[in-house]
Amino acid sequence: MPDFDTSVPHIARVYDYWLGGKDNFAADRAMGERTLQAYPNLVFSVRANRAFLARTVRFLSGQGTRQFLDIGTGIPTASNTHEVAQHIAPESRIVYVDNDPVVLSHAKALLKSAPEGACAYIDADLRDPDAILAAAADTLDFGQPVAVMLIAVMHFVGDDTEASAIMNRLVGACVPGSYVALSHAASDIDAEQMAEMIRRLNETTAEKTTLRDRAGVTRLFDGLDLVEPGVIRAAEWRPDTDLEAASPAALWGGVARKP
Ligand SMILES: C[S@@+](CC[C@H](N)C(=O)[O-])C[C@H]1O[C@@H](n2cnc3c(N)ncnc32)[C@H](O)[C@@H]1O
């Protein structure tokens, strides 16, 4: 039996359910259904988010980035960060971070590096960036550029001041030429359905979600140079096809470079 309470839905497992995964429990599936009823396009939205993740890693690898700090990793699914990065550059080094025990057990088993590179997994909280940075330094060289991946995770930090402090701490540890890739659930796309979906989600999940509008998400990139096309609906960030761009996705996404 798992040593955590499976009767309480957890966001990592609810997200796994939305994506069609099987690493979830009855309470996660029930919450998955309740939220899908409020916002049926959620299925497209989470898929568009995963596609955004893959496109940003591809872009960053193309820019020469060989180190990734992926915080709020999620249960391993298709196109995990190291798979995309090491497909392009096998020597890429990836540190995964999450605070969910199910993510931890699956990640340790599944997130296996190419022999030329490295993958490490840290059980830590986004709200403790010092602990993340200290542990990540065992695998990443912070004297070289790092891409900090914050994909669908900053919306668990509701307080704007705390969110900015976390961003500043993470970015502050990285050299110029490093990048941040971020996606974030939106308050101003499909606004009514999203608000009701999040209201249901926050009834019982431990990690509360706070939606931000486009301006609020853009502020998270303060001090960084946004790469084109800036903060945009995640599906429209450098899409591979028109079909991909047209996918419903109630998330803002962007990539920025540390000057
Ligand atoms: C919506 S999923 C996103 C997963 C993946 N980044 C993606 O976009 O496909 C959010 C993940 O963040 C993790 N998470 C939530 N709050 C966290 C926190 N405070 N610290 C670390 N991880 C957190 C959850 O456990 C979950 O795995």
Side-chain angles (χ1 to χ4, degrees):
M1 279 297 287
D3 59 358
F4 50 88
D5 185 359
T6 59
S7 70
V8 179
H10 190 284
I11 188 61
R13 277 107 64 177
V14 175
Y15 182 74
D16 176 72
Y17 179 76
W18 290 333
L19 280 171
K22 55 181 172 34
D23 299 309
N24 45 68
F25 299 94
D28 306 310
R29 294 190 282 278
M31 178 53 81
E33 282 303 315
R34 242 174 90 62
T35 43
L36 278 169
Q37 280 161 14
Y39 185 42
N41 275 342
L42 199 47
V43 165
F44 299 104
S45 204
V46 292
R47 283 174 188 271
N49 183 57
R50 287 299 299 181
F52 171 79
L53 165 66
R55 291 198 306 280
T56 56
V57 174
R58 228 167 52 213
F59 168 81
L60 293 165
S61 295
Q63 300 298 304
T65 304
R66 297 290 178 264
Q67 305 193 97
F68 295 82
L69 178 56
D70 182 338
I71 306 176
T73 287
I75 292 166
T77 174
S79 299
N80 301 297
T81 297
H82 76 287
E83 290 161 344
V84 179
Q86 293 185 341
H87 181 71
I88 296 167
E91 72 275 25
S92 299
R93 305 177 76 79
I94 292 89
V95 171
Y96 288 110
V97 182
D98 206 287
N99 67 348
D100 180 55
V102 172
V103 175
L104 175 68
S105 61
H106 288 280
K108 279 189 171 155
L110 292 176
L111 303 177
K112 299 284 187 205
S113 175
E116 300 91 334
C119 276
Y121 186 90
I122 302 173
D123 181 14
D125 196 300
L126 172 63
R127 292 185 181 80
D128 191 358
D130 287 340
I132 291 174
L133 291 166
D138 290 343
T139 306
L140 304 180
D141 173 3
F142 281 93
Q144 298 294 321
V146 173
V148 181
M149 310 296 298
L150 293 164
I151 309 298
V153 71
M154 278 308 290
H155 44 233
F156 301 117
V157 182
D159 183 78
D160 285 339
T161 308
E162 186 181 14
S164 294
I166 292 169
M167 296 295 294
N168 288 339
R169 181 69 188 101
L170 292 171
V171 171
C174 299
V175 295
S178 295
Y179 285 90
V180 173
L182 184 148
S183 67
H184 193 297
S187 63
D188 48 350
I189 303 171
D190 296 333
E192 280 181 23
Q193 287 180 310
M194 280 293 283
E196 175 58 17
M197 187 276 283
I198 293 299
R199 192 190 65 73
R200 294 182 183 197
L201 192 64
N202 283 346
E203 279 171 359
T204 45
T205 47
E207 295 277 357
K208 305 299 177 204
T209 305
T210 299
L211 301 175
R212 288 188 171 89
D213 63 12
R214 190 180 197 170
V217 175
T218 304
R219 273 194 296 278
L220 295 172
F221 289 101
D222 273 357
L224 302 171
D225 296 336
L226 279 162
V227 305
E228 287 296 322
V231 174
I232 193 165
R233 237 172 34 88
E236 293 173 67
W237 195 90
R238 300 182 183 233
D240 290 326
T241 62
D242 291 345
L243 194 64
E244 192 168 55
S247 171
L251 296 123
W252 297 114
V255 175
R257 185 175 188 276
K258 181 172 175 173

